[in-house]
Amino acid sequence: MHKPAPEEAITSLHDLSAVDLIAGYRARQFSPSEVLEEVLAHVAVWEPHIKALYLLDPEGARATAKESTERWNNGKPIGALDGVPVTIKDNVATKGQPVPLGAASMPLVPAPKDAPPAARLREAGAIIFSKTTMPDYGMLSSGLSSFHPLTRNPWDISKNPGGSSAGAGAAGAAGYGPLHLGTDIGGSVRLPACWNGLFALKPSLGRVPVDPPYVGRVAGPMTRTVDDAALMMSVLSRPDRRDGMSLPAIEINWKALDKSPRKLRIGLMLDAGTGQALEKEVRDVAIKTAKAFESAGAVLTEVDGILTREMLDGLDHFWRARMWSDLSLLPPEQRAKALPYIYQWAETGAKLSGVDVVRGFNATMAIRAAAAKLFCEVDYVISPVSPVVNFPAEFAAPLNDPLKPFEHIAFTVPWNMSENPAASINGGYDKKGFPIGVQIVGRRFDDLGVLGMAKAFEGLRGPQKPWPNPPKK
């Protein structure tokens, strides 16, 4: 890796935040068409190395950018994201395009309409220029897929970008524009954000309408800055009646991010309760983050993790059975195209009893009760996101063992099941300069507070390393 020259960092339009792009359009410093061309040129240099994209559509994007440029020239933008380049994860439906879910076993059927997050982004004027990759059915924290090429981490292409929002994480770190939409059912925006140096918000369940809705599943922003995530949330959180689990529509001032940590009760969670052991460099970054909040006036207390072995195994059993239920509906020859790791993991679900599966699903309610009890005592929780700094690009998960698939999500998955908002933000680096994220968790529905805490940490954490550049040929 080499550091960019100062003038490169300042003048590259693909590196500008969405907030700065909108300001630049308003001041007529540059146009959406000019920005898109820089993004596409940058993608062309990076993409052969990291394989983050699916259905890249340069010509469609250029037509959208031209329309946006004309609107800005007339002083009539149609929304908060008019002219801002955006990528959307494979599993978020976009009209007329297939939704393979990262799996070669899925039939490629064009979606009849945009899913709610895609619809909101399009209505706001965003330029959706590509989808991004994901592993099979979103059930891996990896860039490994039976359908997509192997997605790699821009910070070190021998390493994994994480998942399941793998392409979104890699695209964000590589500078494929400022805004990337991912989904998260156990850590799938936070883990790739952690391993790619990004910010990501897993909103409270129902804050961002999705279709199809499911227990613990949310869509959320993956960006380089907290302000950009807040801007994206102002669009994504708008109501959509297709999601029967969505929250009532309320007006939230997503720009109101000034939040002082003073006198807030913060719980530092260094032991998830189960799962993989915490690597020292990850532990050190989490402690340093908590100490930064303490120095800003927060009241810091170490708290125990809320996850137990029984809970994590229960979720595993439930998800295995659910995955096998989906795969078993496919013809055998189609089913066999799934990633072998996923197939091996899922087929054991057929041997579980109905009682096993119900007991597994009941872990979600036990987690929810434990989270509610914890947040009677604290306002926010600081913890690691991942127990490990990184892992090889070719692995399906840090342990790469289908019999132990979820040991690395013990810090992230509880908040999906309890429905609490949780964010990943870069907290530091290992000795080789690889990013290490930290997690900020708030009470249910306190999405704005989590964003505010993350914004405060941006001012506390100190200088960040330059974003990675494409490998030299």
Side-chain angles (χ1 to χ4, degrees):
M1 294 184 290
H2 68 279
K3 292 183 179 181
E7 64 272 17
E8 179 186 344
I10 293 170
T11 58
S12 296
L13 295 179
H14 60 77
D15 274 333
L16 290 181
S17 70
V19 171
D20 287 342
L21 287 179
I22 294 297
Y25 296 155
R26 188 170 287 115
R28 304 199 178 190
Q29 294 173 326
F30 42 75
S31 71
S33 292
E34 290 171 317
V35 169
L36 178 66
E37 290 306 324
E38 276 219 20
V39 169
L40 292 174
H42 192 64
V43 166
V45 177
W46 254 121
E47 189 60 8
H49 302 285
I50 60 172
K51 305 289 185 183
L53 300 184
Y54 169 59
L55 295 180
L56 174 63
D57 180 18
E59 293 312 311
R62 286 185 174 111
T64 303
K66 182 180 179 183
E67 294 171 357
S68 177
T69 296
E70 291 172 357
R71 288 194 294 270
W72 279 107
N73 286 341
N74 294 325
K76 296 181 179 179
I78 59 170
L81 301 178
D82 204 342
V84 178
V86 175
T87 71
I88 294 180
K89 189 177 177 181
D90 158 346
N91 65 339
V92 178
T94 44
K95 185 178 180 180
Q97 296 178 319
V99 187
L101 305 180
S105 50
M106 282 291 292
L108 297 179
V109 179
K113 58 178 65 176
D114 284 343
R120 298 297 87 74
L121 291 168
R122 214 184 292 277
E123 290 162 4
I127 302 171
I128 302 170
F129 69 94
S130 186
K131 304 295 282 286
T132 51
T133 62
M134 63 182 285
D136 289 47
Y137 301 98
M139 293 310 298
L140 299 176
S141 297
S142 175
L144 182 64
S145 161
S146 64
F147 180 82
H148 299 297
L150 180 65
T151 304
R152 295 176 178 272
N153 193 306
W155 289 91
D156 180 343
I157 60 172
S158 74
K159 301 303 181 186
N160 209 295
S164 63
S165 304
Y176 289 17
L179 303 182
H180 307 276
L181 178 75
T183 64
D184 189 315
I185 199 170
S188 289
V189 298
R190 288 160 291 161
L191 286 161
C194 166
W195 290 316
N196 286 279
L198 299 174
F199 176 78
L201 175 68
K202 181 209 79 68
S204 299
L205 185 79
R207 180 69 71 206
V208 174
V210 296
D211 184 27
Y214 199 74
V215 177
R217 180 174 179 259
V218 302
M222 300 175 68
T223 62
R224 289 182 171 185
T225 69
V226 177
D227 282 340
D228 271 6
L231 177 62
M232 208 170 174
M233 283 298 294
S234 73
V235 170
L236 294 172
S237 61
R238 290 173 184 167
D240 193 301
R241 290 180 179 173
R242 287 176 285 175
D243 185 351
M245 299 171 75
S246 61
L247 298 176
I250 58 172
E251 285 297 322
I252 297 175
N253 181 3
W254 292 101
K255 292 183 179 180
L257 299 183
D258 292 330
K259 188 177 186 73
S260 170
R262 184 169 172 77
K263 294 187 179 180
L264 290 175
R265 300 170 299 168
I266 293 181
L268 172 60
M269 185 183 290
L270 295 173
D271 182 348
T274 190
Q276 266 178 279
L278 203 56
E279 292 181 357
K280 183 180 184 303
E281 288 179 297
V282 175
R283 180 186 178 90
D284 290 346
V285 166
I287 291 172
K288 184 180 178 183
T289 299
K291 293 290 187 184
F293 279 113
E294 187 177 43
S295 71
V299 179
L300 186 63
T301 308
E302 194 159 340
V303 296
D304 294 330
I306 64 171
L307 203 66
T308 65
R309 182 78 256 168
E310 184 180 17
M311 291 171 179
L312 189 58
D313 288 346
L315 291 175
D316 184 8
H317 291 165
F318 171 65
W319 281 336
R320 284 176 197 250
R322 174 178 170 246
M323 188 75 260
W324 187 248
S325 172
D326 291 343
L327 287 175
S328 67
L329 297 175
L330 300 174
E333 65 277 8
Q334 194 75 14
R335 189 189 314 155
K337 295 179 181 179
L339 196 71
Y341 181 103
I342 287 290
Y343 194 104
Q344 185 182 346
W345 168 71
E347 67 177 347
T348 61
K351 300 174 185 176
L352 295 169
S353 71
V355 172
D356 290 332
V357 178
V358 169
R359 190 174 290 139
F361 180 78
N362 284 345
T364 63
M365 299 310 295
I367 292 168
R368 189 186 188 106
K373 184 178 179 181
L374 172 62
F375 275 93
C376 289
E377 307 300 326
V378 298
D379 300 308
Y380 297 94
V381 169
I382 302 294
S383 81
V385 182
S386 157
V388 301
V389 174
N390 55 40
F391 63 105
E394 297 78 12
F395 279 19
L399 290 183
N400 208 34
D401 181 354
L403 299 179
K404 297 179 179 179
F406 299 130
E407 301 303 298
H408 61 288
I409 68 170
F411 283 106
T412 53
V413 73
W415 316 116
N416 294 83
M417 301 306 132
S418 67
E419 306 184 8
N420 294 58
S424 175
I425 187 168
N426 192 53
Y429 304 86
D430 75 353
K431 293 183 180 66
K432 296 181 180 178
F434 196 90
I436 299 173
V438 290
Q439 185 171 227
I440 302 171
V441 188
R443 290 194 179 95
R444 286 180 71 209
F445 315 131
D446 188 20
D447 305 68
L448 191 62
V450 169
L451 287 171
M453 289 288 284
K455 176 73 172 177
F457 183 59
E458 279 184 329
L460 295 170
R461 67 183 175 178
Q464 298 292 283
K465 292 184 181 296
W467 292 97
N469 280 332
K472 294 178 180 178
K473 294 181 181 179

